[in-house]
Amino acid sequence: MQKRMGFKRKILVGAVATSSLILAQAPGALAQGASALEEVVVTANAREQNVTDIPYNISAIQGEDIAARQIFTETELLRSVPGVYAVDKGQRNAGIMNMITIRGLQTNTLSNGDMAYNSAPTVSTYVNNTPMFANFLLKDINRVEVLRGPQGTLYGSGSLGGTVRYLMNRPSTEGFEAEVDARYSQTEGSDGDNVGVDAMINIPMGDKFAIRFSGSIVDNDGYTDYERLYVLNPDGSPAADPCFDGDCSSTGVDDRSMGGPIYRSEEDADTVEVDYARIALLWEPTDNLSFNLNYQNQSDEIGARSGSTPALADDGTSFGDLVSGRPQVEPSERDVELVALDIEWDLGFATLTSNTSSYETDGEGISDNTGFYAKVGWGGAYMVQPRPMNVATRGYSDEGFTQEFRLVSNGGNFIDWTAGIFYADQEYEAYQDSTLPGWLDWADDTMIDSNP
């Protein structure tokens, strides 16, 4: 769960963003004075149309509204869209599981935030024309389209509940643009600082070619304190109290087998570091033909899991708000990259498009399963050990290649039509390695002590 920043957004900004949503969702309610509002154009049907002409429920959030409201994450954006629910479990889990729910449809359980299932999601997500779940930072966005209800005709089997499309700004040949934005803030409950830097530059090279670059750096201190972390030995096992047998000069077999843990604390452990970059190339050799090459990359490094421990420790210690009682921090990291080439050729009666893309996501995180082992009683004598700890190393890899050819009538006909061919090749792998650091040494010591 993300902690809200300790500042208030201006009411005027919220009013501008809300008007955009209302226009996209209920155009009929704005018949009076609607001419004064900007037309909202979407491409949900693979052709540019006014949102009022779309025959199903769609919301369109404009990129300038997203930037004005200082929205950087998917969950923060979608919570403002009626009928859409997105679980916020912190940046550690943001890129792992697609937790978007539309009209109550979701296959992934809320309790599993560290490992994605192999089942297809009920809400598909697209980055431009690439079907993938990446959860990139919302930077240099043109608009986000939220399509409710089954969208299998155009967006595949994973769109039973709907589809969310993230459409990036294309390079422009109309003029040079550059922008740099720096942010500083503090999170309530944290002793640290939050720093962010965004940069964008658009360079036209004549009237047929342009290049656009955007990048972001996020460096946020955490707000969750860990008060009962084990002090670890060099091999990763919990260190034993050297004074168990009354001799504090060294740690012997008795100390290692019967000595309790040594605790340490770490404040604001759930740090967030994100590096994001995108480069796009546009070539328009003729007025009817365009090539758009897009590359995006993001790396996430998370210091620990966010949240608090509501239960009491074995010795009766209670934990306050934003305090975790876990014996180990749970860091994670993720890298995701996308390369896509979109070609559009206006044939007059229809537009032929070719969308070719390749993406790869790799991630790994440490999860503390100590409490889970204790609850289910796994391991037999495991919990008899005075320093129990279970480390679950969970990782995943998702690689995909997609190719789509689509021929779409240009609209305005008695019958508008769409024809296309779609090919996808996806490989997904997931693993979990569970270890009990120090357990074998403890078991050997106790077995030796019990033998004559």
Side-chain angles (χ1 to χ4, degrees), residues 120-351:
T122 55
V123 177
S124 62
T125 57
Y126 276 68
V127 180
N128 287 332
N129 295 301
T130 302
M132 67 176 299
F133 178 73
N135 209 351
F136 288 116
L137 290 178
L138 300 181
K139 302 295 183 180
D140 203 23
I141 294 278
N142 180 273
R143 68 181 178 278
V144 176
E145 298 178 359
V146 180
L147 291 65
R148 298 175 184 81
Q151 301 293 332
T153 301
L154 294 179
Y155 298 103
S157 60
S159 57
L160 181 62
T163 297
V164 179
R165 305 178 66 220
Y166 299 92
L167 304 174
M168 314 304 296
N169 281 323
R170 289 162 58 102
S172 174
T173 59
E174 296 182 358
F176 176 85
E177 298 178 65
E179 180 179 344
V180 176
D181 176 49
R183 302 178 307 281
Y184 173 83
S185 66
Q186 291 182 318
T187 304
E188 183 179 351
S190 172
D191 294 330
D193 307 313
N194 304 324
V195 178
V197 178
D198 305 324
M200 184 279 296
I201 184 170
N202 182 90
I203 305 175
M205 300 178 180
D207 58 356
K208 298 183 182 299
F209 187 82
I211 182 172
R212 188 182 189 96
F213 169 82
S214 60
S216 297
I217 297 175
V218 176
D219 188 355
N220 294 346
D221 277 348
Y223 50 82
T224 301
D225 298 335
Y226 282 69
E227 294 187 347
R228 294 176 68 89
L229 293 173
Y230 284 163
V231 174
L232 303 179
N233 294 314
D235 63 357
S237 62
D241 184 353
C243 299
F244 169 76
D245 56 3
D247 180 7
C248 299
S249 61
S250 63
T251 300
V253 173
D254 289 342
D255 297 313
R256 190 170 65 178
S257 60
M258 301 303 294
I262 306 173
Y263 294 112
R264 68 178 182 89
S265 63
E266 183 174 339
E267 294 185 354
D268 304 333
D270 51 332
T271 56
V272 174
E273 296 182 9
V274 180
D275 296 324
Y276 169 78
R278 182 175 77 95
I279 185 169
L281 306 176
L282 176 66
W283 179 41
E284 297 177 326
T286 69
D287 293 339
N288 300 326
L289 181 63
S290 68
F291 298 81
N292 185 22
L293 180 63
N294 184 74
Y295 172 79
Q296 290 176 246
N297 176 275
Q298 181 169 314
S299 297
D300 303 341
E301 291 189 10
I302 313 302
R305 188 189 299 275
S306 303
S308 58
T309 301
L312 296 176
D314 292 340
D315 59 4
T317 301
S318 62
F319 303 98
D321 293 338
L322 304 179
V323 176
S324 174
R326 295 182 177 92
Q328 58 182 317
V329 294
E330 300 170 286
S332 70
E333 60 183 16
R334 179 186 72 129
D335 291 293
V336 55
E337 65 177 3
L338 165 66
V339 181
L341 174 62
D342 298 331
I343 304 174
E344 295 184 6
W345 185 13
D346 188 352
L347 302 176
F349 70 98
T351 298

Side-chain angles (χ1 to χ4, degrees), residues 94-105:
I96 298 177
M97 293 186 67
N98 181 349
M99 298 302 295
I100 305 173
T101 301
I102 296 181
R103 293 178 174 174
L105 296 176

Side-chain angles (χ1 to χ4, degrees), residues 25 78-85 101-105 146 148 161:
Q25 295 160 11
L78 296 179
R79 69 162 58 103
S80 65
V81 181
V84 182
Y85 177 70
T101 301
I102 296 181
R103 293 178 174 174
L105 296 176
V146 180
R148 298 175 184 81

